[in-house]
Amino acid sequence: MTNSRKTSFQDVRDEVIRRIQDREWPQGTLLPTEFELAEEFGCARATVNRAMRELAERGIVDRKRKSGTRVAVAPVKQAVFEIAVVRHTIEETNATYRYALVQRTLATAPDWLAAQLNLPDRARALQVKCMHYADNRPFQFENRWINVDAVPDVLEADFASLGPNEWLLERVPFTDAEIGLTSVAADASLSEFLAIPLATPVLQLDRTTWFQGQPVTYVRMSYHPGYRMSTRY
Amino acid sequence: MTNSRKTSFQDVRDEVIRRIQDREWPQGTLLPTEFELAEEFGCARATVNRAMRELAERGIVDRKRKSGTRVAVAPVKQAVFEIAVVRHTIEETNATYRYALVQRTLATAPDWLAAQLNLPDRARALQVKCMHYADNRPFQFENRWINVDAVPDVLEADFASLGPNEWLLERVPFTDAEIGLTSVAADASLSEFLAIPLATPVLQLDRTTWFQGQPVTYVRMSYHPGYRMSTRY
DNA sequence: GAGTGGTCTAGACCACCGC
DNA sequence: CGGTGGTCTAGACCACTCT
């Protein structure tokens, strides 16, 4: 016997998905109530609820009390990019990871950074520039500013062998982040570190992170040309 | 009185998050069992389960049968980019959207496309090039190929006033998609359409979509310089 | 084998919202 | 007001996996 002793919420979920995909329930259709579906599938209402809640989270259906559940009209597609530590990204491709510190400077935060992070006047920031290599080929250039007030310990970190990203993750797990993706032309510095011609198009990811409302760090990560950030959904 | 008549799964979830953020339960800590937490919070185990399942989905904790629940060590942060229809992206900024068809060509699929979409030999593909403007300024250039076998109706669509993206979404909701983001230099065609100098860095999003295993369309969307794809998490 | 999470049930009450 | 989804409970059995 197959392992279908009970009607599971996954059975309900998958069958509803099938009916939607097969146009048995076209866009905008009002679905049966949870009670009716529970009867049809011969299961408890909670089981149907579990299945439908998942569909609602995925944006496949819209649910409203009293109104009922409808097949979503314009499903908002979401692409989930996993932002992992660079080292993991590299090691996943079976390449050898190498880290190199380029510069570590303590200074008062420049105006634009103070504005970006909403820092008080004359706040101190630690700037860290470093490189990440895959099989000894330049993979990513990292340019980071760390809010010293938020992470006083950072003054004792030399970042000689461990990158600031991994260092921070171990100590100050952030609660909020803002990410941006742009395309920029390599300037003189970038072209040297990434070993590419001047003005080569480069994918640049910038991120600002906060811990419980306090700004922690701002970072710009520039990838080697040809890097493709990808995902499925 | 506040509406806290019962211990809700949200209370449990938020309290657990607090303890993790406040380092009461540092990374790697083994959490109490569901039964113990249920006792502590004075609620049913199912309630605790609901809360913990949500944290597991967010990657905040790792759960394993028998082993128990642990605070995730290197929380894999996920960035969710909403891939909306261009028109919505533009109208959200209160700009006026304008669409223009550039080219519509029916031909046999070129080899590279056949390979990309896994099409049979000599399959027909409809190529559609078009522009999306925001307040009459070039916003995005779209270059798309549509698998005619998957969407025969497409031959009757002229795409004169409605873009292929919106047309397809109404008819062939895809089930799977693969997305990539790269940075490219504007070629001659792109520099004309986007009104930018040759070789300007441009953010390019490419996407292949399938409907129940059958390839539907492949599209490259090139954004105007300065476009920043962003999100929070 | 035994401990832990995963799921299901049957019933209950509540919250929202359209009528 | 009444219908629908949202959630909680108490108990049960199952499935995975560590020892």
Side-chain angles (χ1 to χ4, degrees):
Chain A
M1 170 178 340
T2 66
N3 57 357
S4 61
R5 36 187 118 274
K6 279 191 190 179
T7 323
S8 83
F9 79 94
Q10 302 180 24
D11 298 333
V12 179
R13 180 195 61 193
D14 294 344
E15 173 61 13
V16 170
I17 287 180
R18 191 196 61 74
R19 292 183 189 175
I20 292 177
Q21 283 186 0
D22 289 356
R23 290 288 193 284
E24 291 177 27
W25 289 335
Q27 290 184 12
T29 307
L30 184 62
L31 268 54
T33 67
E34 292 191 344
F35 184 78
E36 290 165 343
L37 285 175
E39 272 195 325
E40 179 194 336
F41 288 103
C43 65
R45 188 171 77 93
T47 304
V48 173
N49 182 276
R50 174 89 152 80
M52 302 305 286
R53 179 157 34 86
E54 213 171 280
L55 297 188
E57 281 169 5
R58 289 202 223 167
I60 296 178
V61 299
D62 288 329
R63 319 197 75 190
K64 247 190 274 184
R65 282 162 156 136
K66 166 71 181 178
S67 308
T69 303
R70 288 180 182 280
V71 180
V73 207
V76 176
K77 297 295 185 174
Q78 296 181 330
V80 179
F81 291 92
E82 297 203 344
I83 311 291
V85 176
V86 197
R87 183 163 59 80
H88 297 153
T89 309
I90 290 175
E91 286 174 347
E92 266 177 16
T93 67
N94 290 322
T96 303
Y97 171 73
R98 187 166 69 80
Y99 163 81
L101 176 65
V102 171
Q103 180 192 321
R104 182 185 178 285
T105 316
L106 182 62
T108 59
D111 289 347
W112 67 267
L113 183 66
Q116 172 85 27
L117 295 186
N118 198 23
L119 297 175
D121 261 11
R122 315 221 26 90
R124 287 181 308 165
L126 183 71
Q127 182 177 14
V128 179
K129 294 182 183 176
C130 58
M131 278 293 301
H132 305 273
Y133 297 88
D135 280 342
N136 245 15
R137 282 175 289 103
F139 185 86
Q140 185 197 85
F141 178 76
E142 175 178 347
N143 195 356
R144 179 186 293 270
W145 288 263
I146 301 168
N147 178 12
V148 175
D149 290 334
V151 201
D153 292 353
V154 82
L155 295 176
E156 271 116 60
D158 62 5
F159 299 123
S161 56
L162 182 68
N165 194 359
E166 296 188 56
W167 189 92
L168 281 170
L169 272 180
E170 282 177 12
R171 284 165 188 73
V172 195
F174 51 90
T175 50
D176 302 280
E178 203 266 349
I179 281 192
L181 269 171
T182 47
S183 177
V184 302
D187 59 12
S189 160
L190 213 48
S191 77
E192 279 184 22
F193 281 114
L194 293 179
I196 54 177
L198 255 179
T200 305
V202 160
L203 191 63
Q204 185 172 280
L205 188 151
D206 60 278
R207 178 170 57 192
T208 311
T209 60
W210 294 265
F211 178 63
Q212 296 177 344
Q214 187 181 32
V216 173
T217 182
Y218 171 71
V219 60
R220 282 202 288 255
M221 292 168 278
S222 311
Y223 290 85
H224 72 279
Y227 177 69
R228 182 165 177 275
M229 183 168 289
S230 68
T231 190
R232 301 186 65 88
Y233 66 90
Chain B
M1 161 177 352
T2 66
N3 55 357
S4 61
R5 37 187 116 275
K6 278 191 192 180
T7 323
S8 82
F9 78 94
Q10 303 181 26
D11 297 334
V12 179
R13 181 195 60 194
D14 294 345
E15 173 61 12
V16 171
I17 288 180
R18 191 196 61 74
R19 292 182 188 175
I20 292 177
Q21 283 187 359
D22 288 357
R23 290 288 193 284
E24 291 177 26
W25 289 335
Q27 290 184 14
T29 306
L30 183 62
L31 268 55
T33 67
E34 292 191 344
F35 184 78
E36 289 166 344
L37 285 175
E39 271 195 326
E40 178 193 336
F41 287 103
C43 65
R45 186 170 77 94
T47 304
V48 173
N49 182 278
R50 174 89 153 79
M52 302 306 285
R53 178 157 34 86
E54 212 171 280
L55 296 189
E57 281 168 5
R58 289 202 222 166
I60 296 178
V61 300
D62 289 329
R63 320 197 73 190
K64 246 191 277 185
R65 281 160 157 140
K66 166 72 180 177
S67 308
T69 303
R70 288 181 183 279
V71 180
V73 206
V76 175
K77 297 294 186 174
Q78 296 181 330
V80 179
F81 291 91
E82 296 204 345
I83 310 292
V85 177
V86 198
R87 183 164 57 81
H88 297 153
T89 308
I90 291 174
E91 286 173 347
E92 265 177 18
T93 67
N94 291 322
T96 303
Y97 171 72
R98 187 166 69 80
Y99 164 81
L101 177 65
V102 172
Q103 180 192 321
R104 181 186 180 284
T105 316
L106 182 62
T108 59
D111 290 345
W112 67 267
L113 183 65
Q116 172 86 27
L117 294 186
N118 198 23
L119 297 175
D121 262 10
R122 316 222 25 92
R124 287 181 308 167
L126 184 70
Q127 182 177 16
V128 179
K129 293 182 183 177
C130 58
M131 279 293 301
H132 305 274
Y133 297 89
D135 281 342
N136 245 14
R137 282 175 289 103
F139 185 85
Q140 182 198 86
F141 178 76
E142 175 178 348
N143 194 358
R144 179 186 294 269
W145 289 263
I146 301 168
N147 178 11
V148 175
D149 291 334
V151 202
D153 291 353
V154 81
L155 295 175
E156 271 116 60
D158 62 5
F159 298 123
S161 56
L162 182 68
N165 194 358
E166 296 188 56
W167 187 93
L168 281 170
L169 271 181
E170 282 178 12
R171 284 166 187 74
V172 194
F174 51 90
T175 49
D176 301 280
E178 203 267 349
I179 282 192
L181 270 171
T182 47
S183 177
V184 302
D187 60 13
S189 159
L190 213 48
S191 76
E192 280 185 22
F193 282 114
L194 292 179
I196 53 177
L198 255 179
T200 305
V202 159
L203 191 63
Q204 185 172 280
L205 187 151
D206 59 279
R207 177 170 57 192
T208 310
T209 61
W210 294 266
F211 177 63
Q212 295 178 346
Q214 187 180 32
V216 173
T217 183
Y218 171 71
V219 60
R220 281 204 287 255
M221 292 168 279
S222 311
Y223 291 84
H224 73 278
Y227 176 70
R228 182 166 178 274
M229 184 169 289
S230 67
T231 189
R232 302 185 65 88
Y233 67 91

